[in-house]
């Protein structure tokens, strides 16, 4: 199932090398994308906003441990359709 032309990475490496340093969901211009990320216990660790569009791999300002994190992405496309995708992303250090 296509998720309104949204790209969700499987993994990222927030090590400051300039490559894959952020968990960033990319979609069509004009789409409203809401991202929620949870740790293995279901505690929210990140949600995007107008000022913060991608996760840098930190929780409360500290580097998050390597491992799987769960996400829920909600997209409202340019014609008002809503899509939801759930999955996991690997944070690799």
């Amino acid at each position: 199932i296509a998720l309104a032309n949204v790209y969700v990475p499987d993994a990222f490496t927030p090590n400051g090398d300039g490559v894959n340093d952020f968990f960033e969901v990319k979609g069509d211009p004009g789409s409203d994308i809401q991202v929620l990320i949870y740790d293995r216990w279901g505690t929210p660790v990140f949600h995007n906003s107008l000022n913060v569009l991608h996760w840098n791999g930190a929780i409360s300002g500290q580097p998050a441990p390597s491992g799987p994190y769960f996400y829920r992405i909600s997209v409202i496309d340019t014609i008002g359709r809503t899509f939801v995708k759930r999955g996991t992303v690997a944070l690799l250090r």
Side-chain angles (χ1 to χ4, degrees):
I1 296 174
L3 182 66
N5 295 320
V6 172
Y7 169 74
V8 181
D10 294 330
F12 73 116
T13 56
N15 57 11
D17 69 355
V19 179
N20 295 323
D21 283 335
F22 303 101
F23 177 74
E24 184 175 10
V25 178
K26 297 180 182 177
D28 289 336
S31 292
D32 178 22
I33 301 173
Q34 298 296 316
V35 178
L36 288 167
I37 300 176
Y38 304 88
D39 65 16
R40 69 182 76 195
W41 298 280
T43 303
V45 297
F46 172 83
H47 65 87
N48 66 338
S49 66
L50 290 175
N51 298 325
V52 181
L53 301 177
H54 49 264
W55 185 37
N56 64 2
I59 299 174
S60 299
Q62 299 299 313
S66 294
Y69 289 82
F70 302 92
Y71 60 77
R72 181 186 185 279
I73 298 167
S74 175
V75 178
I76 301 173
D77 69 12
T78 55
I79 61 172
R81 296 177 298 180
T82 300
F83 301 87
V84 174
K85 179 174 176 66
R86 290 177 176 85
T88 59
V89 59
L91 188 159
L92 307 172
R93 295 213 180 265

